[in-house]
Amino acid sequence: MRVLLRLLGFLGVHRWQVALAVVLGVVMMASNLGLLSVAAYLIAASALQYGLSQLTLSMFLVQIFGISRAAFRYLERLISHNVTFKLLSSLRTWLYGRLEPLYPARLLEHRTGDLLSRIVKDVEELENIYLRAFSPVVVAVAISTLTCIVLYVFDPLLAFVTLGFLALSGVGVPLLVSVLARRLGRRELELRAELNVQIVDGIQGVQDLLALGQASGQQRKIEDLGHKLGRVQKRMASITGLHSTLNDLTMNLAMLAILFLAIPLVNEGGIPGVYLAFLALLVLGSFEAVQPLGTAFQFLGRSLHAGERLFEVSDAEPQVTYPYEPLPPPRSHTLEFDRVSFRYGEDEAPVLTDVSFKVEPGSRVAIVGPSGSGKSTIASLALRFWDPTDGEVRLGGYSLPGYAEEDLRNAIGVAAQDTHLFNQTLRDNLLLARPAASDSEVESAVEKARLGEFVSSLPRGLDTPLGEQGLRLSGGERQRVAVARALLRDAPVLILDEPTANLDPSTEHELLAAVYEQTPGRATLIITHRLVHMERMDEILVLEAGRIVERGTHQTLLDNNGSYKRMIDVQNQLLLATV
Amino acid sequence: MAFGVLGAVATIAQMALLSKVVDRVFLDGESLGQVGTLLLLLLGAIVLRSGLLWLREISAQRGAIYVKSELRKQLFTHLMHLGPGYTKGERTGELVTTAVEGIERLDAYVGRYLPQMVLSALIPLLVAAYVLPFDWISAALLLVSAPAIPVLMVLVGSHAEKRMKRQWSSLSRMSAHFLDVLQGLSTIKAFGRGAAEREKVAKVSEDFRERTLEVLRYAFLSGFVLEFVATLSIALVAVALGVRLLIGSIAFAPAFLVLLLAPEFFRPLRELGVHRHTGMEGKAAAERIFEILDTPAPVSSGPAEVTSLGGRLEIELGDVEYTYPESGQPALSGINLTLPAGSCTALVGRSGAGKSTLVNLLMRFVDSEHGRISANGIPIADFPVEIWRENLALVPQRPYLFYGTVLENIRLARPEATREEVERAAELAGATEFIGRLPQGYDTGIGERGVRLSGGEAQRLAIARAFLKDAPMLIMDESTSSLDPESERLIGDALEVLMRDRTVLVIAHRLNTIYRADQIAVLDGGCLVETGTHAELIQSGGPYARLVDTYNRTPA
Ligand SMILES: Nc1ncnc2c1ncn2[C@@H]1O[C@H](COP(=O)(O)OP(=O)(O)O)[C@@H](O)[C@H]1O
Ligand SMILES: Nc1ncnc2c1ncn2[C@@H]1O[C@H](COP(=O)(O)OP(=O)(O)O)[C@@H](O)[C@H]1O
Ligand SMILES: [Mg+2]
C-alpha cells in the first residue's frame, strides 16, 4: 500500500491533466451508456407509434452520444497516455540519477542485466498503475453511481440489485484476481530479470563459453528460465480467462436479474413497458465501466512489485556522500594518504593497512607490488569511490569528504586498469575525458599515448566506432586509450594504473617517456608491477599484502637489498635469460 | 478460434432470447411465469457464452507461450553459433531487449492479432447472415459500413507501422545505452561525467517517449475512426429502425434484436483495432528477431563421424587466408605453418598483425574461406564445432568471469570435475593463496565479470580453467600480462608442466615467454614473415632480430 501511495505521489505534478483525463473518461463512459439505452428506448417508443416530435429528441441524442463517445475516448486516451509516458520517462532519469551515486559499494550486489531490467521494464510496468488502476477506478465509481441513480428513479430495488452486481464485478472479481495473481506477477518480473541477466552473460561471455564448450549449458539455463516463465504466463492466462469470464457472466446475470425484477413491475404497471429494453441495455452498458478493473488488478501485484524493485535501488543510501556545503576547490594539489586502512566489507580481510604517502605537485611516486596487494584499491580511494575504514586521504591539505564531487573529479585524471570503452567512436570515447578539447589536443593525446599508428590503421581513424565495449581492441590498445584519456583530461593529479601491462617493451618505453614529458608540475602516481623507469621516480612504495614494506628511491631500495631488490632480480632473470 | 465463433453463436442466441422476452412482456404484457422458459434458456445461453470465452482466452495464450519459448531458445542458440565475431559488433543491450522484450511482444501478434484477423472476418458475416432473412435493410446497412473500417484502419495504420519500427529501435537504443552506461559507471564517475550522462539518459528516454507517443497517436486515431464509423452506423441503424417501426414496416422484436446485434457485429472489428496496435509492435520486434536468425553462422558444423583425435595434435595451416566480412583487405593471407605435436610456438607481431585472427580461426569462431587447417591430417572443418573445441584450451587476454563463485568459474572448464580437481587446478595456476584470503574461499562470489578480483587474480582463474580442461592443445593470448614477475615466475614453472606434451600456441609481447618456444612465428600485416627458433632467427638478422634488438636497448 505504501508503495502504491508513493507511486501515485508521482502523479502530483500532473494533477490537472490527470483530473482532465478522469473527467473525459466519465463523459465517455456516460455517452456509451446513453447511446445504448436511448437507442433501446427509441425503438420501443417507435413500436408504440409515439409521435415523431417525441422521437426526434431521442434520435438526436443517439447521434450525439455516438459521436461524443468516440471523440471523448480519443481525447481521454491521448491525455492519459501523454501524462503517463512523461512520468515514466522522468522516472527513468530520476532512477538513473539515484543509481549513479550508489556506485560502486551499493551497486556491486546487483547485476547490470538486472538493473537494466529495472530501469527499462519495471518502469514500463508502472504504466499499468497510472493508466489502468487509477483513473478507471474513479470512472467506474462515477458511472456506477450514475446508473444506480437512474435505476433508483424507476425502482429502488433495481438500483440496489444492480449495485450488488456492479460491486461483484468491480470489486469482487478484481480482489479475487489480484489475490490469485499476486505471487505470479512478482515471479514473472523476477524471471524476466533473471533471463536478462543470463542473456547478458551469454552474449558478453560468448567467447569463453564457446571455448570451454559450455554454450549448451547456458542455452539450457535460458531454456529453463523460458519454461518457468511460460508456466507463470500460462497461469496468468488462465486468470485472465477467469476474470473475463466472470465479468461477462456477472454482467449478463445482472441483466437477467433486472428483467426478472422488472417484468412483474411492468405487468403491474409500476414501470411503463416502453422502458424495459432501456433498462436492460442501461445495465449492460454500465458494466463496461467496471470491467477494466479486473485487468488492472490482475497486474497490480506485478506493478507494485516493479515499484518495490525500483524503490529498493533508489532508497539505498550511497556509501559515499558529498557535503552540502563543500570546501572551495583545492588550491594546491598534494595527494596525501595518512595512515589509511581499508577493507571492502565487514567480513572481508583488510586490503590496506596503515598506508601513508604523499605525492607533491611535480613529483612522481610509484606503487609497486605483486598483483592483489591492493594497488588499484589505492587508486579507488584517491577517487573516493570508497572511503577509508581508518585514516584520511587528503588533497591540498583537506580531507577528501570535504570537497564537492565535481571539484574532486576535476582535480584527478586517471587511467584505470580496466577502463570501459563505450559503444561510440574512438573520438567520443576520448572526449569523455574533456568534452571541450580541441581536435589538436585530442590528436596530441593520441600521439603521446602511442596510439597514432593504431589510429591511422583504423578505417575511419578517430571516427571509427569502437563497437561493444571496444572488444575489437587488443588489451594493449585499450590501455593506451585509457592513458590517452587521462592525458587529455590534463588534471593536476594524474593516476596511472598498470598503464603498460600489455605492451611490448619498446612501446612501453615510448609511452612512459611521453607521459613524463607531459607531467612536470603534476602530482603523478604510477601503479605498476613492471619495474621499468624506476630510477625516474621520486619515491617508490613497495606494497605487499596491503602494507608498505619498503620505500625510497630506486637506488636506496637496491642498496637495501630487500623486497624491491628481489623483485628487480626476478624481473631481470626473466629478461636476462633471453640474451 | 473455433471457440470464438461458437461464442458468437451463443451471443446471437442470447440476444434473440432477450429480444423475445422484452417483446412479449412489453407488447403482449406477458407475466414472469409465461416467459419463465425463455428466461431459463437465456440463462443457459449466458453461461455457455461465458464458458466459451474462457476457453478462447486460454487456448489463445497457450499457443503463443509455446511459440515464444521455442523462438527464444532458437534465437539464443543462433547467437551462440554466430559467436564472438558477431556479438562484438552488436550492442548487448539491444540483443537482450530483442531476446526478452521482443519475444514477449510476439505474444500479442501470435496470440491475439492473428486469430483476431480471422474472427473479425467471420463473426460480422455470421451476424449479418443471421439478420439478413428478417431484416435485409439493416443487414445491408451494416455490411456497407463495415468495409470502411478495415480500409480506414489500413490507411492510418500504414503510417503507424513505419513509426512502430522507429519506436522499436528507439527502445533498443535506450536499452543498449542503459546497459553500456551501467557497465561503464566507474569510468563515467572517474571522469566526473555524471551530470552530462544524466542529461544524455534524459534525452534517450525522452526520445523513447516521443516515439511511443507518436505511435500511440496513430493508434488512437485509428481507434477513433473505427469507433466513429461503428457508432455512427449503429446510430444510423437505430434511427432507421425507429422510422420503419413508425411506419410499421418492421415488428418490435426483430427491430430490438437488430439493435442488440449491431454492437456485436462491430465488436470483433473494434477488438481487431485494439490488437492491431500491439500486434504491430510484435511485428516490428519479429522483423529484428528474424533478421538475427537469418544471419548465416560463420562456421558450419562438419559431418559428425569424426569424434576423437587421440591425445596428440599436430596442426597444419596451408595457404590460409581470411578477410573479415566488412573489411576490404585480408587480415591474414598465405599462411603456411605447422604446429608440431607437443611443441610450443610463439606468435609474435605488432598489434593488428593478425594474431587474434589466427586464434579465431583455430578456435573456429570463424572459418577461413581459402586454404586449409588440418589436425593430424584431418581438416578441422570436418569436425562438429563443439567436438573440435574440446581439443583446445584457450586462455584469453581478457577472460570473462561469470557471476558466481570461484569454484563455479573454474569448473566451467569441466563441469563434471570434482572439487579436488578444481582445487588442484587452482593450485597449479597459483591461485590458492588469494582464494584462501577470500571470505568464503572457493565459495566466495566474485561478482559480475569478476569485479572483486584484481587483474592478476582474474587471469589466474582463467589459467586454472585451462589446467582443468586438460586439452591436447593450449592457446594462450598474453595470459600473464597482468601478473607481477614474481607470480609469473611461480606459475611459469606450472605452465611449463602444462605445456609439456601439448601443442601450444602463445601470443606474447615479452621476450621471456617467447624465447623458450620451440618455434617462433613472426606475423606482419597478415603475412607470415619468418619462422624458426630464437637462435636461428637472431642469426638470420631479419625482423625478429631487429625486434629483439629494440627490446634489449630498452632500459629495464
Ligand atoms: N569490490 C571488492 N570487494 C572485495 N574485495 C575486493 C574488491 N575489489 C578488490 N578486492 C580485493 O582486494 C585485493 C586488492 O585488489 P587490487 O587493489 O585490485 O590489487 P592490485 O591492483 O594490487 O592487483 C584483492 O585481493 C581483491 O580480491
Ligand atoms: N571483427 C573484425 N572486423 C573487421 N576487421 C577486423 C576485425 N577484427 C580484426 N580486424 C582487423 O584485422 C586485422 C588483424 O587483427 P587482429 O587479428 O586482431 O590483430 P592482432 O591480434 O595481431 O592485434 C586488423 O587490421 C584488424 O583491424
Ligand atoms: Mg590492479
Side-chain angles (χ1 to χ4, degrees):
Chain A
M1 199 60 205
R2 262 198 41 244
V3 177
L4 183 63
L5 288 180
R6 265 185 88 178
L7 288 172
L8 290 178
F10 288 111
L11 279 177
V13 200
H14 303 288
R15 55 185 170 278
W16 294 116
Q17 287 197 54
V18 172
L20 183 59
V22 169
V23 170
L24 289 171
V26 172
V27 175
M28 184 271 288
M29 277 295 169
S31 308
N32 182 46
L33 215 56
L35 174 68
L36 288 176
S37 48
V38 175
Y41 170 79
L42 170 68
I43 291 195
S46 311
L48 290 182
Q49 309 279 322
Y50 280 11
L52 199 58
S53 59
Q54 234 175 321
L55 290 177
T56 5
L57 175 66
S58 39
M59 283 186 191
F60 180 66
L61 279 178
V62 167
Q63 305 286 3
I64 291 288
F65 283 141
I67 293 166
S68 70
R69 175 172 89 162
F72 283 114
R73 162 162 289 169
Y74 176 70
L75 288 175
E76 187 265 334
R77 283 162 117 192
L78 213 54
I79 289 173
S80 63
H81 282 75
N82 201 4
V83 171
T84 304
F85 282 96
K86 220 179 244 167
L87 204 58
L88 297 190
S89 165
S90 57
L91 268 174
R92 285 201 174 97
T93 318
W94 169 78
L95 187 64
Y96 172 76
R98 306 283 309 195
L99 271 177
E100 196 213 82
L102 298 179
Y103 183 88
R106 290 277 177 269
L107 276 196
L108 291 184
E109 57 214 63
H110 297 289
R111 309 179 61 179
T112 46
D114 177 63
L115 291 175
L116 177 70
S117 187
R118 288 176 204 240
I119 205 165
V120 176
K121 192 60 207 172
D122 291 355
V123 169
E124 188 182 308
E125 185 64 43
L126 299 181
E127 181 188 308
N128 183 46
I129 290 187
Y130 295 126
L131 280 179
R132 294 193 227 148
F134 178 65
S135 132
V137 171
V138 183
V139 173
V141 170
I143 292 299
S144 303
T145 318
L146 185 67
T147 310
C148 290
I149 290 175
V150 174
L151 287 173
Y152 194 87
V153 174
F154 286 91
D155 191 277
L157 187 62
L158 294 184
F160 293 134
V161 169
T162 307
L163 188 63
F165 276 103
L166 281 172
L168 196 61
S169 183
V171 181
V173 172
L175 275 184
L176 174 72
V177 160
S178 73
V179 167
L180 285 179
R182 172 160 299 152
R183 300 266 297 284
L184 289 178
R186 173 178 289 247
R187 186 102 185 92
E188 190 177 351
L189 281 188
E190 280 162 1
L191 283 170
R192 267 177 181 233
E194 182 62 19
L195 205 53
N196 252 4
V197 163
Q198 293 300 340
I199 292 176
V200 169
D201 251 359
I203 292 171
Q204 297 193 330
V206 62
Q207 177 170 333
D208 289 59
L209 283 174
L210 290 179
L212 296 169
Q214 293 308 309
S216 53
Q218 192 72 10
Q219 272 159 27
R220 228 169 304 120
K221 256 190 212 166
I222 284 165
E223 200 182 334
D224 225 44
L225 283 171
H227 284 315
K228 280 189 194 148
L229 186 63
R231 236 171 292 144
V232 170
Q233 288 176 336
K234 247 180 223 173
R235 290 178 54 195
M236 269 297 199
S238 319
I239 295 175
T240 310
L242 183 69
H243 85 70
S244 8
T245 306
L246 285 180
N247 273 337
D248 196 67
L249 202 63
T250 7
M251 171 177 83
N252 284 306
L253 286 179
M255 181 205 63
L256 200 63
I258 292 303
L259 283 182
F260 193 78
L261 293 173
I263 288 172
L265 290 172
V266 170
N267 292 152
E268 292 158 15
I271 297 177
V274 66
Y275 285 114
L276 191 59
F278 167 83
L279 290 176
L281 285 198
L282 179 71
V283 171
L284 280 183
S286 67
F287 275 82
E288 251 182 64
V290 296
Q291 282 178 349
L293 299 187
T295 316
F297 279 76
Q298 180 179 352
F299 296 106
L300 188 65
R302 197 166 88 185
S303 313
L304 287 179
H305 185 53
E308 266 168 42
R309 279 165 54 87
L310 295 183
F311 292 138
E312 190 181 294
V313 184
S314 71
D315 289 351
E317 277 300 318
Q319 201 177 50
V320 170
T321 48
Y322 290 88
Y324 281 111
E325 286 175 28
L327 296 170
R331 251 174 293 131
S332 75
H333 292 95
T334 305
L335 178 66
E336 186 183 355
F337 273 56
D338 186 9
R339 293 160 176 266
V340 168
S341 296
F342 180 70
R343 55 175 78 215
Y344 278 99
E346 302 278 295
D347 55 344
E348 304 271 351
V351 174
L352 294 177
T353 316
D354 208 17
V355 169
S356 301
F357 63 89
K358 219 176 198 178
V359 194
E360 310 259 10
S363 77
R364 280 195 282 272
V365 173
I367 300 178
V368 303
S371 81
S373 57
K375 303 184 297 297
S376 299
T377 305
I378 289 181
S380 302
L381 290 177
L383 284 167
R384 226 188 142 215
F385 280 171
W386 307 83
D387 278 334
T389 328
D390 259 313
E392 269 191 352
V393 182
R394 287 194 279 265
L395 185 66
Y398 296 98
S399 181
L400 294 190
Y403 291 113
E405 179 167 19
E406 202 191 337
D407 296 333
L408 190 59
R409 303 274 173 250
N410 284 339
I412 299 181
V414 64
Q417 187 173 15
D418 193 13
T419 199
H420 183 87
L421 299 183
F422 292 89
N423 197 333
Q424 298 167 337
T425 63
L426 178 54
R427 186 191 300 278
D428 289 339
N429 265 292
L430 292 171
L431 283 178
L432 181 87
R434 189 149 61 88
S438 69
D439 283 359
S440 66
E441 284 170 319
V442 171
E443 274 153 31
S444 123
V446 162
E447 234 10 86
K448 286 194 187 119
R450 316 314 298 164
L451 273 171
E453 208 174 317
F454 166 69
V455 170
S456 55
S457 80
L458 291 173
R460 278 192 274 151
L462 278 172
D463 295 308
T464 312
L466 292 186
E468 184 76 1
Q469 296 200 10
L471 284 179
R472 281 179 180 162
L473 269 55
S474 75
E477 286 154 2
R478 301 172 65 84
Q479 268 176 329
R480 279 176 279 167
V481 174
V483 172
R485 274 178 177 168
L487 294 180
L488 189 61
R489 183 132 182 101
D490 202 22
V493 179
L494 180 66
I495 302 177
L496 304 172
D497 191 356
E498 308 274 11
T500 62
N502 288 303
L503 300 183
D504 58 79
S506 58
T507 314
E508 173 174 48
H509 169 66
E510 289 166 9
L511 182 134
L512 289 176
V515 168
Y516 300 148
E517 219 171 276
Q518 168 157 17
T519 51
R522 276 170 229 305
T524 310
L525 182 65
I526 296 185
I527 293 170
T528 182
H529 65 252
R530 301 263 320 139
L531 306 179
V532 296
H533 284 267
M534 284 298 136
E535 64 288 346
R536 303 176 70 163
M537 298 296 149
D538 296 303
E539 189 178 31
I540 300 168
L541 313 171
V542 181
L543 202 65
E544 255 169 37
R547 284 175 193 278
I548 297 181
V549 293
E550 260 190 320
R551 62 199 308 160
T553 60
H554 181 62
Q555 204 49 52
T556 54
L557 286 176
L558 282 183
D559 295 343
N560 261 2
N561 213 357
S563 301
Y564 183 77
K565 177 76 166 59
R566 239 187 355 268
M567 289 166 70
I568 289 272
D569 286 345
V570 173
Q571 178 170 308
N572 285 346
Q573 256 170 28
L574 287 174
L575 284 174
L576 283 177
T578 349
V579 246
Chain B
M1 215 142 46
F3 298 126
V5 176
L6 287 175
V9 173
T11 306
I12 292 178
Q14 182 198 337
M15 296 309 176
L17 288 165
L18 175 61
S19 67
K20 219 166 242 151
V21 172
V22 173
D23 178 51
R24 292 224 200 142
V25 175
F26 164 43
L27 289 179
D28 306 342
E30 285 188 12
S31 73
L32 204 53
Q34 285 165 306
V35 292
T37 5
L38 281 178
L39 283 177
L40 275 181
L41 281 175
L42 185 55
L43 180 67
I46 286 170
V47 172
L48 184 67
R49 164 181 147 148
S50 301
L52 287 166
L53 183 68
W54 195 34
L55 290 174
R56 177 183 154 190
E57 280 289 333
I58 289 177
S59 66
Q61 286 303 310
R62 293 260 145 124
I65 286 166
Y66 176 76
V67 170
K68 284 193 301 188
S69 90
E70 260 320 282
L71 204 58
R72 182 173 293 123
K73 185 174 109 193
Q74 269 186 30
L75 186 66
F76 186 75
T77 309
H78 193 65
L79 280 173
M80 292 290 112
H81 285 161
L82 289 171
Y86 179 81
T87 53
K88 275 177 197 174
E90 297 291 322
R91 311 193 65 176
T92 310
E94 190 265 342
L95 291 177
V96 172
T97 306
T98 307
V100 180
E101 180 62 16
I103 287 188
E104 286 305 317
R105 284 189 176 197
L106 289 184
D107 216 11
Y109 188 62
V110 179
R112 302 270 174 191
Y113 181 61
L114 291 181
Q116 192 64 38
M117 288 250 270
V118 182
L119 286 183
S120 62
L122 280 181
I123 293 178
L125 284 179
L126 197 70
V127 173
Y130 180 77
V131 172
L132 194 64
F134 60 84
D135 181 8
W136 66 268
I137 298 179
S138 297
L141 265 176
L142 289 175
L143 283 176
V144 167
S145 61
I149 290 181
V151 168
L152 286 170
M153 237 164 66
V154 167
L155 273 183
V156 181
S158 62
H159 287 279
E161 208 167 326
K162 212 168 52 220
R163 289 181 167 75
M164 197 68 87
K165 268 183 216 142
R166 281 218 297 252
Q167 190 239 1
W168 173 250
S169 61
S170 172
L171 173 65
S172 303
R173 213 170 25 242
M174 181 172 79
S175 307
H177 184 81
F178 278 134
L179 189 65
D180 206 14
V181 164
L182 286 171
Q183 297 194 329
L185 272 181
S186 80
T187 303
I188 288 172
K189 278 180 83 91
F191 286 107
R193 306 291 297 148
E197 193 49 51
R198 265 195 292 279
E199 263 166 47
K200 220 163 169 189
V201 161
K203 222 170 75 193
V204 172
S205 1
E206 273 299 287
D207 178 70
F208 175 62
R209 177 184 74 86
E210 272 161 31
R211 298 268 170 255
T212 307
L213 281 178
E214 213 170 67
V215 166
L216 285 177
R217 270 197 290 274
Y218 273 94
F220 296 156
L221 187 63
S222 116
F224 171 71
V225 166
L226 205 145
E227 285 273 300
F228 191 72
V229 173
T231 18
L232 215 59
S233 92
I234 293 174
L236 206 67
V237 168
V239 172
L241 285 171
V243 173
R244 282 156 65 213
L245 274 168
L246 269 184
I247 57 174
S249 73
I250 191 167
F252 172 72
F256 186 47
L257 177 57
V258 169
L259 186 71
L260 286 173
L261 285 178
E264 295 302 324
F265 176 90
F266 287 107
R267 186 191 298 277
L269 287 166
R270 280 171 60 187
E271 283 173 2
L272 182 68
V274 174
H275 296 320
R276 184 187 155 84
H277 170 67
T278 41
M280 285 301 113
E281 274 184 1
K283 210 175 145 207
E287 270 169 31
R288 176 61 182 144
I289 292 170
F290 288 109
E291 187 188 8
I292 297 174
L293 285 176
D294 289 341
T295 310
V299 288
S300 48
S301 226
E305 300 115 51
V306 203
T307 48
S308 173
L309 275 161
R312 291 165 71 82
L313 213 55
E314 176 168 292
I315 306 283
E316 213 174 313
L317 295 102
D319 256 337
V320 170
E321 182 176 324
Y322 185 77
T323 310
Y324 283 100
E326 65 266 45
S327 132
Q329 71 218 51
L332 279 180
S333 65
I335 304 289
N336 287 295
L337 183 67
T338 306
L339 312 178
S343 76
C344 173
T345 304
L347 201 56
V348 186
R350 17 185 359 117
S351 106
K355 304 182 294 293
S356 304
T357 309
L358 192 66
V359 172
N360 288 344
L361 285 169
L362 286 173
M363 289 304 299
R364 292 195 64 200
F365 292 146
V366 293
D367 271 349
S368 66
E369 57 266 54
H370 295 294
R372 45 179 244 130
I373 305 177
S374 51
N376 297 347
I378 310 165
I380 61 171
D382 284 0
F383 295 91
V385 196
E386 289 79 20
I387 303 272
W388 167 247
R389 290 192 190 125
E390 278 174 14
N391 292 294
L392 309 169
L394 171 71
V395 186
Q397 195 168 34
R398 292 185 73 203
Y400 189 88
L401 296 176
F402 292 86
Y403 185 92
T405 64
V406 172
L407 185 75
E408 286 162 359
N409 263 287
I410 302 179
R411 198 179 254 163
L412 212 54
R414 192 148 58 80
E416 70 281 3
T418 64
R419 199 181 166 104
E420 287 67 42
E421 286 172 309
V422 171
E423 287 177 8
R424 172 97 191 109
E427 197 182 321
L428 288 172
T432 321
E433 197 225 305
F434 88 80
I435 296 173
R437 267 189 283 120
L438 296 175
Q440 285 99 37
Y442 282 89
D443 300 310
T444 313
I446 56 170
E448 192 167 52
R449 284 167 297 151
V451 275
R452 64 154 300 155
L453 300 182
S454 77
E457 290 166 348
Q459 245 173 7
R460 273 178 277 197
L461 287 194
I463 295 171
R465 279 180 181 166
F467 275 110
L468 189 64
K469 184 157 180 187
D470 197 20
M473 179 162 181
L474 177 65
I475 301 177
M476 300 206 291
D477 188 351
E478 276 291 303
S479 353
T480 54
S481 57
S482 298
L483 294 183
D484 53 288
E486 183 78 30
S487 323
E488 190 173 348
R489 191 178 59 96
L490 286 177
I491 72 165
D493 303 338
L495 281 179
E496 206 109 292
V497 178
L498 180 65
M499 289 178 181
R500 201 172 299 150
D501 293 325
R502 284 194 171 76
T503 313
V504 181
L505 183 71
V506 281
I507 296 180
H509 291 130
R510 305 235 182 269
L511 278 180
N512 57 310
T513 333
I514 302 168
Y515 87 101
R516 280 190 271 190
D518 303 306
Q519 175 184 234
I520 297 164
V522 185
L523 274 179
D524 191 23
C527 298
L528 197 59
V529 289
E530 262 189 325
T531 44
T533 62
H534 178 73
E536 284 166 12
L537 293 181
I538 291 285
Q539 212 154 43
S540 73
Y544 180 73
R546 280 199 294 281
L547 194 73
V548 171
D549 197 37
T550 48
Y551 282 16
N552 286 339
R553 269 192 285 113
T554 311

